Amino acid sequence: MRSSLFHKLLLILFLWIGLSPWIMGQPKGNVSGQGPYTTAIFDSLFEKALYKGSLDISKHHLSGLFYLKRFSGSSVRILFSNELGMNFFDLELKGDKFIVHSCFPSLDRASLLKLLENDFRLLLVPDTTVIRMKRGRSKDPEFLVFGVKTARGSFHYTYDKVSGKIRRIQTSRSVMGRTDLRVYGDMRLQPVKIHITNPAIRLHIRMTFLSN
């Protein structure tokens, strides 16, 4: 009798394991390497783009123009200036280097610049150091979510299910350096809108596409 009950419980367990992905609606699974899912919002074809935007940190507000330009395969320049031409900052991501060409005195803080470096790397530089991608659950059936571990850190990537384009990147296992990056638009060339938030220091960057 006990043997029969044990075998029934064992059968139920096997059925539960086999059916649980279907029951949950969003199966989890490991992805070998990057597969069809990229870690680039701006791909290798990107050359330049002009965005109207703003930067808010705590109670301070700056508005103007963001100019993004790729100078080579390993160099991207980020210039943020007001509409009169005064630079708030001029930054460059060149391989593993971060070069500050100029920076407004009130923004020239090592901790803030490090955060901006990390944020713009997520936005502009494909991460080629992916160690593991694991499928997660998405509350929205139009999106796919992956937990991504790379040499840079741990992230959650949200992809549009139809286009396969990145819609959101969130850092995980971080407090002061936490980033929530969202992009909007049809994504055929580049994002129409970009929102970057670092809630720990109340940093918000908003960008709206103007031209190439």
Side-chain angles (χ1 to χ4, degrees):
M1 182 71 179
R2 289 182 179 179
S3 177
S4 177
L5 180 60
F6 173 76
H7 284 95
K8 287 181 179 178
L9 290 173
L10 194 61
L11 178 61
I12 291 170
L13 179 61
F14 281 133
L15 287 172
W16 173 255
I17 293 172
L19 292 174
S20 58
W22 176 79
I23 293 169
M24 297 306 293
Q26 287 287 348
K28 288 187 176 182
N30 289 319
V31 177
S32 178
Q34 295 183 38
Y37 302 103
T38 178
T39 55
I41 294 175
F42 287 86
D43 61 25
S44 59
L45 299 177
F46 167 73
E47 294 182 356
K48 60 182 179 178
L50 181 66
Y51 285 82
K52 183 176 181 179
S54 63
L55 184 153
D56 293 271
I57 179 167
S58 188
K59 297 179 181 179
H60 304 287
H61 175 80
L62 300 172
S63 63
L65 300 170
F66 285 88
Y67 183 57
L68 313 176
K69 181 175 175 62
R70 188 186 301 280
F71 284 90
S72 68
S74 62
S75 175
V76 183
R77 199 84 167 253
I78 307 106
L79 177 65
F80 179 38
S81 64
N82 65 17
E83 294 183 359
L84 297 176
M86 182 180 72
N87 290 351
F88 295 125
F89 57 69
D90 182 358
L91 312 174
E92 183 178 1
L93 301 170
K94 190 172 184 179
D96 295 331
K97 296 179 181 179
F98 178 61
I99 303 168
V100 180
H101 292 281
S102 66
C103 186
F104 205 62
S106 61
L107 301 175
D108 193 6
R109 291 180 288 164
S111 57
L112 175 59
L113 289 172
K114 182 61 179 177
L115 204 56
L116 290 174
E117 176 190 359
N118 293 339
D119 290 348
F120 284 118
R121 280 195 187 278
L122 282 178
L123 177 67
L124 295 163
V125 182
D127 194 337
T128 59
T129 65
V130 174
I131 300 169
R132 183 175 64 251
M133 294 182 71
K134 186 175 182 180
R135 175 83 173 269
R137 295 188 183 93
S138 173
K139 296 179 181 179
D140 191 324
E142 295 183 1
F143 298 113
L144 299 173
V145 175
F146 285 89
V148 182
K149 183 178 181 181
T150 81
R152 293 183 187 175
S154 298
F155 308 92
H156 290 103
Y157 278 69
T158 300
Y159 294 87
D160 182 275
K161 186 178 286 187
V162 175
S163 68
K165 299 288 187 179
I166 297 170
R167 289 296 183 177
R168 187 178 186 183
I169 302 176
Q170 300 163 277
T171 55
S172 58
R173 301 179 186 176
S174 176
V175 179
M176 292 305 295
R178 189 175 294 278
T179 295
D180 188 350
L181 190 162
R182 302 182 189 222
V183 294
Y184 305 87
D186 60 20
M187 301 292 290
R188 285 176 294 180
L189 296 175
Q190 62 275 310
V192 175
K193 290 187 177 182
I194 299 167
H195 292 173
I196 304 174
T197 303
N198 298 103
I201 63 168
R202 290 185 290 170
L203 172 66
H204 302 275
I205 297 174
R206 297 175 179 86
M207 302 163 64
T208 301
F209 179 75
L210 291 177
S211 66
N212 290 112

